[in-house]
Amino acid sequence: MIVPVVYALWLSLFTEKQSGLGFDGPRTVFDGLGNYAAALGDQAFRDGFWVLLGYCAFYIPLMGGGAIVLALLLDTTLARARRFFQLALFLPHAIPGLIAALIWIYLYTPQLSPVVAAMEAGGIGFDFFSSAGTLPSIVNIALWEWLGYNVVIFYAALQAVDRSLLEAATVDGAGNWRIAFSIKLPLIRSSLVMVLLFTIIGSLQLFTEPLILSRGSGSAVTSTWTPNMYAYSAAFERNDYGLAAAASVLIALVAPVLSFAVTRFTHRKEARS
């Protein structure tokens, strides 16, 4: 892990420049923080972070809330066929992101998708590849892939809760909702924080799904739609490896900053409670 990180830092300090006449080809020269300034000064790179912000605003509440609700339902005494539903929810996570994106492109494509055909038959028209529909489409793919994984984490944490506490609360007259929010969720707070951290870090790495949607689907996703796509485009489409390395380092720096902010916030809440 250390060697690629050090190499990326080293690569980000250099750039290729042509000589005045251009006869002897490009030369690799030391550029200091020039690549970082170029990345931060590029509107496309900055816009990618706004896209991630919108993605997180949709994805994190839906992912966290949906996983918690499903895990709580599986943990209730009324739940039946727990193992079947755990497997059914977790199975999409076993499918690689590339394959998942291809499956959903098919389900989003008019004239091919039975989902779109059913929506049109019901009078619902929605273009999943439009500028307004692209973000919800990608959020949906990510939810389909990762929801079951987080449900399993929460369900495992709920299984470790002392059942005597739940029985005592039931004897005292607490209902299922009161038990869930006053006993179960506070006792699995560490799992909630862990999933939140992993979800934030995973959101910063958004790449595969929008990249597949940008290739031949007619979607509004551009080659620089997210910061990771910007770095990929700089490296493999423009052959500017110094700029790509600098963009990658900047993306990597955001993750620990957000992780620190989340852990600091949760620790303060724990101290107050």
Side-chain angles (χ1 to χ4, degrees):
M1 182 186 69
I2 295 174
V3 172
V5 170
V6 172
Y7 180 66
L9 288 169
W10 176 261
L11 194 62
S12 68
L13 301 176
F14 294 85
T15 189
E16 290 189 351
K17 290 186 177 181
Q18 295 278 357
S19 63
L21 298 177
F23 293 131
D24 56 351
R27 294 179 296 109
T28 301
V29 298
F30 181 77
D31 195 32
L33 300 179
N35 287 318
Y36 293 93
L40 293 173
D42 194 333
Q43 184 68 39
F45 183 67
R46 298 198 304 271
D47 287 345
F49 283 99
W50 286 110
V51 170
L52 284 185
L53 183 62
Y55 174 82
C56 290
F58 277 102
Y59 176 63
I60 293 177
L62 290 173
M63 171 63 72
I68 289 170
V69 169
L70 289 172
L72 288 171
L73 289 174
L74 288 174
D75 191 56
T76 61
T77 56
L78 300 177
R80 297 291 184 269
R82 289 188 180 91
R83 293 188 181 277
F84 169 77
F85 285 108
Q86 285 183 65
L87 178 62
L89 289 167
F90 185 79
L91 193 58
H93 179 68
I95 299 175
L98 175 64
I99 305 302
L102 292 173
I103 292 172
W104 280 100
I105 285 177
Y106 164 74
L107 294 175
Y108 290 155
T109 303
Q111 289 82 46
L112 293 178
S113 170
V115 175
V116 174
M119 291 174 61
E120 292 177 347
I124 303 174
F126 186 78
D127 186 357
F128 291 98
F129 300 127
S130 65
S131 57
T134 296
L135 187 60
S137 299
I138 294 175
V139 169
N140 177 66
I141 297 174
L143 284 172
W144 186 78
E145 290 182 271
W146 289 94
L147 184 65
Y149 176 83
N150 291 324
V151 168
V152 170
I153 292 177
F154 290 146
Y155 179 70
L158 288 170
Q159 290 295 292
V161 173
D162 188 352
R163 296 290 136 174
S164 63
L165 295 175
L166 307 182
E167 293 171 359
T170 302
V171 171
D172 290 340
N176 287 330
W177 286 107
R178 183 66 182 272
I179 292 173
F181 288 98
S182 298
I183 299 177
K184 290 183 178 181
L185 291 184
L187 291 176
I188 64 168
R189 180 176 296 174
S190 59
S191 295
L192 297 174
V193 174
M194 181 188 70
V195 168
L196 177 60
L197 285 174
F198 285 171
T199 303
I200 291 173
I201 294 172
S203 299
L204 291 175
Q205 299 173 358
L206 182 64
F207 176 74
T208 302
E209 293 83 0
L211 180 68
I212 299 302
L213 260 69
S214 69
R215 303 295 174 90
S217 65
S219 71
V221 178
T222 63
S223 61
T224 58
W225 198 66
T226 67
N228 268 346
M229 293 178 68
Y230 177 92
Y232 178 87
S233 175
F236 301 110
E237 294 178 5
R238 290 176 278 168
N239 296 321
D240 193 342
Y241 298 104
L243 178 63
S248 300
V249 171
L250 291 171
I251 297 168
L253 289 175
V254 175
V257 171
L258 291 178
S259 299
F260 175 78
V262 171
T263 52
R264 188 69 178 271
F265 176 74
T266 54
H267 287 164
R268 283 185 176 180
K269 289 197 70 175
E270 289 178 358
R272 290 175 181 175
S273 59

